[in-house]
Amino acid sequence: MELQIRNAEVNDIPTLLALIQELADYEKLSNEVVATEDLLKHWLFEKDRAEAIILEVDQTVIGFALYFHNFSTFLGKAGLYLEDLYIKPDYRHKGYGKQVFKYLAKLTLERGCGRMEWSVLDWNAPSIQFYQSLGAKPMDEWTTYRLVENELNALI
């Protein structure tokens, strides 16, 4: 079964949101999903702040990846940041994840980006093993910090 990778379109938004919820369920973070179809439409298609690809096998959607550009002051170049990659459980361990990474690696290089990065939950051993099999290195010396809406408002 051959994987088809295509850019998400506006009419994919309901499917994309359903896949985001499946990912959140898998990551035990369902309570954190506040995304809506309108928000996805606004940020992905009206503001062009991120991009998504839809993964299909035999015209069946099996997953998605969402990414955007960041910037490295040290490299002086943009990078590609993979926010999420999700493949439905029945389609894992078939090489589709590696095909997505090849697709994104090629896109990263074609766009002249200096690197591709992503984050993974510490407990997600299957994903960590997969990323290491690709030659990816953990950035152990860095800790991610985050401010969300309440903290952002308190700061200003």
Coordinates of all heavy atoms in Angstrom, one line a residue, residues 78-114:
A78 N 16.4 30.0 8.3 CA 15.2 29.4 8.8 C 15.4 27.9 9.0 O 16.3 27.3 8.5 CB 14.1 29.6 7.8
G79 N 14.6 27.4 9.9 CA 14.5 26.0 10.1 C 13.1 25.5 9.9 O 12.2 26.3 9.8
L80 N 12.9 24.2 9.8 CA 11.6 23.7 9.7 C 11.3 23.0 11.0 O 12.1 22.1 11.5 CB 11.5 22.7 8.5 CG 10.0 22.2 8.2 CD1 9.8 22.2 6.7 CD2 9.7 20.9 8.9
Y81 N 10.2 23.4 11.7 CA 9.9 22.8 13.0 C 8.6 22.0 12.8 O 7.6 22.4 12.4 CB 9.6 23.9 14.0 CG 9.4 23.3 15.4 CD1 10.5 23.0 16.2 CD2 8.1 22.9 15.8 CE1 10.3 22.4 17.4 CE2 7.9 22.3 17.0 CZ 9.0 22.0 17.8 OH 8.9 21.4 19.1
L82 N 8.8 20.7 13.1 CA 7.7 19.7 13.0 C 6.9 19.8 14.3 O 7.4 19.3 15.3 CB 8.2 18.3 12.7 CG 7.2 17.2 12.7 CD1 6.1 17.4 11.6 CD2 7.9 15.9 12.5
E83 N 5.8 20.4 14.3 CA 4.9 20.5 15.5 C 4.3 19.1 15.8 O 4.4 18.7 17.0 CB 3.9 21.5 15.3 CG 2.9 21.7 16.5 CD 3.6 22.2 17.7 OE1 4.7 22.8 17.6 OE2 3.0 22.1 18.8
D84 N 3.8 18.5 14.8 CA 3.1 17.2 15.1 C 3.2 16.3 13.9 O 3.0 16.7 12.8 CB 1.6 17.4 15.5 CG 1.5 17.8 16.9 OD1 2.1 17.3 17.8 OD2 0.7 18.8 17.1
L85 N 3.4 15.0 14.2 CA 3.2 13.9 13.2 C 2.4 12.9 13.8 O 2.7 12.4 14.9 CB 4.6 13.4 12.8 CG 4.6 12.1 12.0 CD1 3.8 12.2 10.7 CD2 6.0 11.6 11.7
Y86 N 1.3 12.5 13.2 CA 0.5 11.5 13.7 C 0.1 10.5 12.6 O -0.4 10.9 11.5 CB -0.8 12.1 14.3 CG -1.8 11.0 14.8 CD1 -1.5 10.3 16.0 CD2 -3.0 10.8 14.2 CE1 -2.4 9.4 16.5 CE2 -3.8 9.8 14.6 CZ -3.5 9.1 15.8 OH -4.4 8.1 16.2
I87 N 0.2 9.2 12.9 CA -0.2 8.2 12.0 C -1.1 7.2 12.9 O -0.7 6.8 14.0 CB 1.0 7.4 11.4 CG1 1.8 8.3 10.6 CG2 0.5 6.2 10.6 CD1 3.1 7.7 10.0
K88 N -2.2 6.9 12.3 CA -3.2 6.1 13.0 C -2.5 4.7 13.4 O -1.7 4.2 12.6 CB -4.4 5.8 12.2 CG -5.3 7.1 12.0 CD -6.5 6.8 11.1 CE -7.4 8.0 11.0 NZ -8.7 7.8 11.5
P89 N -2.9 4.2 14.5 CA -2.2 3.0 15.0 C -2.2 1.8 14.0 O -1.1 1.1 13.9 CB -3.0 2.6 16.3 CG -3.6 3.9 16.8 CD -3.9 4.7 15.5
D90 N -3.2 1.6 13.3 CA -3.2 0.4 12.3 C -2.2 0.6 11.2 O -2.0 -0.4 10.5 CB -4.6 0.2 11.7 CG -5.6 -0.3 12.8 OD1 -5.2 -0.8 13.8 OD2 -6.8 -0.2 12.5
Y91 N -1.7 1.8 11.0 CA -0.8 2.1 9.9 C 0.6 2.3 10.4 O 1.5 2.7 9.5 CB -1.3 3.3 9.1 CG -2.6 3.0 8.4 CD1 -3.8 3.2 9.1 CD2 -2.7 2.4 7.2 CE1 -5.0 2.9 8.5 CE2 -3.9 2.1 6.6 CZ -5.0 2.4 7.2 OH -6.2 2.0 6.6
R92 N 0.9 2.1 11.6 CA 2.3 2.3 12.1 C 3.1 1.0 11.8 O 2.6 0.0 11.6 CB 2.2 2.5 13.6 CG 1.6 3.9 14.0 CD 1.5 4.1 15.4 NE 0.6 5.3 15.7 CZ 0.0 5.6 16.8 NH1 0.2 4.8 17.8 NH2 -0.8 6.6 16.9
H93 N 4.4 1.2 11.9 CA 5.4 0.1 11.6 C 5.3 -0.4 10.2 O 5.6 -1.6 10.0 CB 5.2 -1.0 12.7 CG 5.2 -0.5 14.1 ND1 6.3 0.0 14.7 CD2 4.2 -0.4 15.0 CE1 6.0 0.4 15.9 NE2 4.7 0.2 16.1
K94 N 4.9 0.4 9.3 CA 4.9 0.0 7.9 C 5.8 0.9 7.0 O 5.7 0.8 5.8 CB 3.4 0.1 7.4 CG 2.5 -0.8 8.1 CD 1.1 -0.7 7.6 CE 0.1 -1.5 8.4 NZ 0.4 -2.9 8.5
G95 N 6.6 1.7 7.7 CA 7.5 2.6 6.9 C 7.0 3.9 6.5 O 7.7 4.7 5.9
Y96 N 5.7 4.2 6.9 CA 5.1 5.5 6.5 C 5.7 6.7 7.2 O 5.9 7.7 6.6 CB 3.6 5.5 6.7 CG 2.8 4.4 5.9 CD1 1.8 3.7 6.5 CD2 3.2 4.2 4.6 CE1 1.2 2.7 5.7 CE2 2.5 3.2 3.8 CZ 1.5 2.5 4.4 OH 0.8 1.5 3.7
G97 N 6.0 6.5 8.5 CA 6.7 7.6 9.2 C 8.0 8.0 8.6 O 8.3 9.2 8.5
K98 N 8.8 7.0 8.2 CA 10.1 7.3 7.6 C 9.9 8.0 6.2 O 10.6 8.9 5.9 CB 10.9 6.0 7.4 CG 12.3 6.3 6.9 CD 13.1 5.0 6.9 CE 14.6 5.4 6.6 NZ 15.5 4.2 6.7
Q99 N 8.8 7.6 5.5 CA 8.5 8.3 4.2 C 8.2 9.8 4.5 O 8.6 10.7 3.7 CB 7.4 7.6 3.5 CG 7.8 6.3 2.9 CD 6.7 5.6 2.2 OE1 6.0 6.2 1.3 NE2 6.4 4.4 2.5
V100 N 7.4 10.1 5.6 CA 7.1 11.4 5.9 C 8.3 12.2 6.3 O 8.5 13.4 5.8 CB 6.1 11.5 7.1 CG1 5.8 12.9 7.6 CG2 4.7 10.8 6.7
F101 N 9.2 11.6 7.0 CA 10.5 12.3 7.4 C 11.3 12.6 6.2 O 12.0 13.6 6.1 CB 11.3 11.5 8.5 CG 10.9 12.0 9.9 CD1 9.8 11.5 10.5 CD2 11.7 13.0 10.5 CE1 9.5 12.0 11.8 CE2 11.4 13.5 11.7 CZ 10.2 13.0 12.4
K102 N 11.4 11.6 5.2 CA 12.1 11.9 4.0 C 11.5 13.0 3.2 O 12.2 13.9 2.7 CB 12.1 10.6 3.1 CG 13.0 9.5 3.6 CD 13.0 8.3 2.6 CE 14.0 7.3 3.1 NZ 14.0 6.2 2.1
Y103 N 10.2 13.1 3.2 CA 9.5 14.2 2.5 C 9.8 15.5 3.1 O 10.1 16.5 2.5 CB 8.0 13.9 2.5 CG 7.1 15.0 2.0 CD1 6.8 15.1 0.7 CD2 6.7 16.0 2.8 CE1 6.0 16.1 0.1 CE2 5.9 17.1 2.3 CZ 5.5 17.1 1.0 OH 4.8 18.1 0.5
L104 N 9.8 15.5 4.5 CA 10.0 16.8 5.2 C 11.5 17.2 5.1 O 11.8 18.4 5.0 CB 9.5 16.7 6.6 CG 8.0 16.6 6.8 CD1 7.7 16.3 8.2 CD2 7.3 17.9 6.3
A105 N 12.4 16.2 5.1 CA 13.8 16.5 5.0 C 14.1 17.1 3.6 O 14.9 18.1 3.5 CB 14.6 15.2 5.2
K106 N 13.5 16.5 2.6 CA 13.7 17.1 1.3 C 13.1 18.5 1.2 O 13.8 19.4 0.6 CB 13.0 16.2 0.2 CG 13.2 16.6 -1.2 CD 12.5 15.7 -2.2 CE 12.7 16.2 -3.6 NZ 11.8 15.6 -4.5
L107 N 12.0 18.7 1.8 CA 11.4 20.1 1.8 C 12.3 21.1 2.6 O 12.5 22.2 2.1 CB 10.0 20.0 2.5 CG 9.1 21.3 2.5 CD1 8.8 21.7 1.1 CD2 7.9 21.0 3.3
T108 N 12.8 20.6 3.7 CA 13.7 21.5 4.5 C 14.9 21.9 3.6 O 15.2 23.1 3.6 CB 14.2 20.7 5.7 OG1 13.0 20.3 6.5 CG2 15.1 21.5 6.5
L109 N 15.5 21.0 2.9 CA 16.7 21.3 2.1 C 16.3 22.2 0.9 O 17.0 23.1 0.5 CB 17.4 20.0 1.6 CG 18.0 19.2 2.8 CD1 18.5 17.9 2.2 CD2 19.1 20.0 3.4
E110 N 15.1 21.8 0.2 CA 14.7 22.6 -0.9 C 14.4 24.1 -0.6 O 14.6 25.0 -1.4 CB 13.4 22.0 -1.5 CG 13.7 20.7 -2.3 CD 12.4 20.1 -2.8 OE1 11.2 20.5 -2.4 OE2 12.5 19.1 -3.5
R111 N 14.0 24.3 0.7 CA 13.7 25.7 1.1 C 14.9 26.4 1.6 O 14.8 27.5 2.1 CB 12.6 25.6 2.2 CG 11.2 25.2 1.6 CD 10.1 25.3 2.6 NE 8.8 24.9 2.0 CZ 7.7 24.9 2.6 NH1 7.6 25.3 3.9 NH2 6.6 24.6 2.0
G112 N 16.0 25.7 1.6 CA 17.3 26.3 2.1 C 17.4 26.4 3.6 O 18.2 27.2 4.1
C113 N 16.6 25.7 4.3 CA 16.6 25.7 5.8 C 17.8 25.0 6.3 O 18.4 24.1 5.7 CB 15.4 25.0 6.4 SG 13.8 25.9 5.9
G114 N 18.3 25.4 7.5 CA 19.5 24.9 8.1 C 19.3 23.7 8.9 O 20.3 22.9 9.2

